Amino acid sequence: MSTTSKTGPDAAPNTPEDQELGAAGSQLSTAPAEEAPHLPALGVVGWARWFWRQLTSMRVALLLLLLLSLGAIPGSLIPQTGIDATKVAEFREQHTTLAPLYDKLGLFNVYSSVWFSAIYILLFVSLIGCIVPRTWQFVGQLRGRPPAAPRRLTRLPAYTTWRTEARPEQVREAALALLRKRRFRAHLSGDAVAAEKGYLREAGNLVFHLALIVMLIAFAWGQLMKSEGNKLILEGDGFANTLTQYDDFKSGSLFTQDDLDPFSFTLKDFTGTYEPTGPNRGTPRTFEADVTYSVGAYGEERRATVRVNEPLEIGGSKVYLVSHGYAPVVTVRDGKGRVVMDKEAVPLLPLDGNVTSSGAIKVMDGYRNAEGVKEQLGFNAFFLPTYGGQGSTMLSTFPALLNPMLALSAYHGDLGVDSGIPQSVYQLDKKNLKEFKDSDGELFKKQLKVGQTMTLPDGAGSVTFEGVKEWAGFQVARQPGSGWALAGSLAAIAGLAASLFIQRRRVWVRAVEGADGVTVVEMAGLGRSESAKVPEELGDLAGVLYERAPGAPDPHPSDSPAVSAEGAEQQ
């Protein structure tokens, strides 16, 4: 027995001498046969057919997928109006030449631009046009049987032969049993056994393309119906999931207020722990927000703990813990000692890893100065949860509340909150404010520890640092289609792996009685692509079959069968 392999065609033979393989070498994949290039027929129908063939070709689908990936790059590098309108406005101010060009190209709204949508839709149509005919062809192959053996098996890439004293029908029955045991689809066809294996390769190819469609639909649905809002909540305060409750909110173009899940929650307590010593001193160890929540207007109140990367899931929404900080509690009195801000906690924004924080305290109503004139007060606030002591820098040395200190600088006049122009709650608009002056004529400022009071000049009032509350920042996100996108990506990986590592191949075993009454066994294999696996597998199968139908002694050794390097015929 001898086995040989030779370079052969990938699927259907192309040379005239190999045309005899016929159906045996065809349809080893569901890829449509390539047609010779030719100009389309004149007329609308001809051009439409030509355009459809180009659009549904694999090369165009890959090109569109590449264009989609390239088109997403400016969406990641350039600020987007739907994500952060403030950054877009800042970009326009800083880049007066580029901004008009970006507007014309739709680069501030990449994912809703005409050109991105066109690529997206064309890719979607191209994938469907690729999948539908291939699916029907694959179903037809599954319903059919492996093709009969070609007349001359020596023309196949892998081939072996030997003589045996076993009867032809015994050899064929043994070959059929062996191939089925090795999970080949096998059947008797005339004087040969035809078998095929590796259908999962084409199934994986189709799964990969279907998964891409699922991912495209999930991505589009998620972008159109998504919502994302942020809310800063002080300990003891609550939140209801309505648009007016959010500090900032953005959503997809098809999202409506009715899509918000009806729930509310209250932040009962926030706990943060940090490494106290060592090289990682100050590194956060745990961030936990204990909340009580209820679903619907009359839902039962429940307790939950929200941690970083462990969101609270309510309906289709996820509540993430995204930030943390401190809110000094202050009491402000006017010139006559009346309380105009009673133990109000004012959230400040962290500036570094040790939660050095800054912000503004605004007294907008009820304040009168020493002369009884209505004014507004503003304070630039700088807070250190752990102050290093007199003479140290104005930076916190640890993120926990070990030695809190509040530094204030005072202003009076008009805060500008009644002008109708939006302004940040964390900054002072000093255009219409005047500084309080100290005895040296400088800006009046003071450092306060808990319980201390800053008395404003000229009997203008006072500010008392009462204590500190903690706040937590939550993000409420609703991303429909994310589960489908994940399932699609996993299916795409599995399908791609199957199409890369599984090989579609066919094996034929022919057993016929020779002129001298001895059975001649021929085995041949054909794969979709050139691979060492086909001849190796054929050699393994031939070895097992040879044990069941051992070779017969050759009365004329000089006339023993031989196979050339090109798979030539028996001499």
Side-chain angles (χ1 to χ4, degrees), residues 331-333 361 377-380 406-411 436 443-449 451-457 460-465:
T331 296
V332 181
R333 292 175 171 84
I361 299 174
L377 294 180
F379 302 89
N380 271 334
L406 177 65
L408 297 176
S409 55
Y411 300 83
F436 281 105
L443 172 64
F444 185 77
K445 51 189 176 182
K446 190 172 182 180
Q447 298 177 2
L448 303 175
K449 291 189 175 182
Q452 292 183 340
T453 298
M454 178 175 76
T455 302
L456 298 175
S462 64
V463 181
T464 302
F465 181 21

Side-chain angles (χ1 to χ4, degrees), residues 91-119:
F91 187 93
R92 293 181 188 277
E93 293 178 1
Q94 297 171 3
H95 304 84
T96 54
T97 304
L98 282 178
L101 178 62
Y102 284 4
D103 276 324
K104 292 179 180 179
L105 297 176
L107 296 183
F108 291 124
N109 297 279
V110 168
Y111 303 111
S112 58
S113 63
V114 174
W115 58 268
F116 191 87
S117 300
I119 297 174

Side-chain angles (χ1 to χ4, degrees), residues 38 52 56 59 67 74 163 180 218 268 296 338 361 375 405 428 511-512 516:
H38 61 278
W52 177 253
T56 56
R59 64 176 67 90
L67 290 176
R163 292 154 48 89
R180 286 177 175 173
K268 292 296 185 182
R338 291 191 299 257
I361 299 174
E375 278 190 315
M405 188 271 288
L428 289 179
V512 295
D516 56 357

Side-chain angles (χ1 to χ4, degrees), residues 18 55-56 89 108 131 225 325 354 536 556 570:
D18 287 338
L55 180 61
T56 56
F108 291 124
I131 289 173
M225 297 297 297
N354 286 325
E536 287 177 2
H556 304 289
Q570 180 178 321

Side-chain angles (χ1 to χ4, degrees), residues 178-492:
L178 172 62
L179 290 169
R180 286 177 175 173
K181 185 178 180 180
R182 296 293 182 90
R183 298 192 300 275
F184 278 83
R185 293 180 63 199
H187 72 103
L188 286 171
S189 178
D191 59 359
V193 175
E196 189 166 359
K197 191 177 183 180
Y199 288 89
L200 285 179
R201 178 189 181 97
E202 297 306 324
N205 196 8
L206 294 175
V207 166
F208 173 74
H209 288 84
L210 286 171
L212 287 182
I213 291 180
V214 171
M215 292 170 63
L216 288 174
I217 294 174
F219 176 77
W221 182 252
Q223 290 296 312
L224 292 173
M225 297 297 297
K226 72 176 182 179
S227 66
E228 183 181 291
N230 295 284
K231 179 65 177 179
L232 185 151
I233 303 177
L234 290 165
E235 288 178 322
D237 287 352
F239 165 80
N241 192 28
T242 60
L243 290 180
T244 56
Q245 290 276 296
Y246 285 99
D247 295 331
D248 62 82
F249 186 86
K250 52 183 178 289
S251 63
S253 57
L254 296 184
F255 175 84
T256 64
Q257 187 171 351
D258 294 336
D259 294 321
L260 290 171
D261 294 305
F263 67 88
S264 61
F265 67 90
T266 300
L267 176 61
K268 292 296 185 182
D269 184 53
F270 180 88
T271 303
T273 60
Y274 310 88
E275 285 289 341
T277 58
N280 295 323
R281 183 177 185 272
T283 302
R285 298 175 62 182
T286 58
F287 278 163
E288 297 180 351
D290 293 326
V291 301
T292 58
Y293 72 97
S294 60
V295 180
Y298 305 101
E300 179 183 355
E301 192 172 83
R302 305 174 186 176
R303 297 188 66 89
T305 300
V306 185
R307 300 180 179 88
V308 177
N309 296 327
E310 295 182 21
L312 171 64
E313 296 189 32
I314 307 175
S317 300
K318 292 184 178 181
V319 182
Y320 293 91
L321 176 62
V322 295
S323 58
H324 156 256
Y326 296 104
V329 180
V330 296
T331 296
V332 181
R333 292 175 171 84
D334 65 8
K336 294 185 178 181
R338 291 191 299 257
V339 175
V340 293
M341 178 181 283
D342 187 15
K343 296 181 179 179
E344 185 171 325
V346 182
L348 304 181
L349 297 179
L351 300 177
D352 57 26
N354 286 325
V355 202
T356 304
S357 307
S358 70
I361 299 174
K362 300 180 182 182
V363 181
M364 294 176 284
D365 299 311
Y367 172 78
R368 292 177 182 270
N369 61 19
E371 288 78 26
V373 178
K374 287 185 177 181
E375 278 190 315
Q376 294 175 331
L377 294 180
F379 302 89
N380 271 334
F382 204 72
F383 178 73
L384 282 64
T386 300
Y387 178 46
Q390 194 68 31
S392 63
T393 60
M394 288 295 291
L395 294 174
S396 177
T397 60
F398 196 75
L401 289 171
L402 301 183
N403 183 26
M405 188 271 288
L406 177 65
L408 297 176
S409 55
Y411 300 83
H412 64 102
D414 182 6
L415 293 172
V417 294
D418 300 323
S419 64
I421 301 174
Q423 61 175 250
S424 172
V425 297
Y426 303 105
Q427 294 179 338
L428 289 179
D429 182 0
K430 300 176 184 177
K431 184 170 61 175
N432 296 315
L433 291 177
K434 297 179 181 179
E435 298 178 351
F436 281 105
K437 302 291 185 178
D438 59 16
S439 57
D440 297 326
E442 301 293 332
L443 172 64
F444 185 77
K445 51 189 176 182
K446 190 172 182 180
Q447 298 177 2
L448 303 175
K449 291 189 175 182
V450 176
Q452 292 183 340
T453 298
M454 178 175 76
T455 302
L456 298 175
D458 303 324
S462 64
V463 181
T464 302
F465 181 21
E466 304 282 2
V468 183
K469 280 188 175 183
E470 296 189 62
W471 59 260
F474 294 91
Q475 183 182 85
V476 181
R478 188 175 181 274
Q479 188 70 44
S482 57
W484 284 101
L486 176 61
S489 61
L490 294 177

Side-chain angles (χ1 to χ4, degrees), residues 10-31:
D10 207 31
N14 296 319
T15 59
E17 70 174 346
D18 287 338
Q19 290 297 330
E20 61 187 80
L21 289 180
S26 67
Q27 296 183 346
L28 271 170
S29 79
T30 55

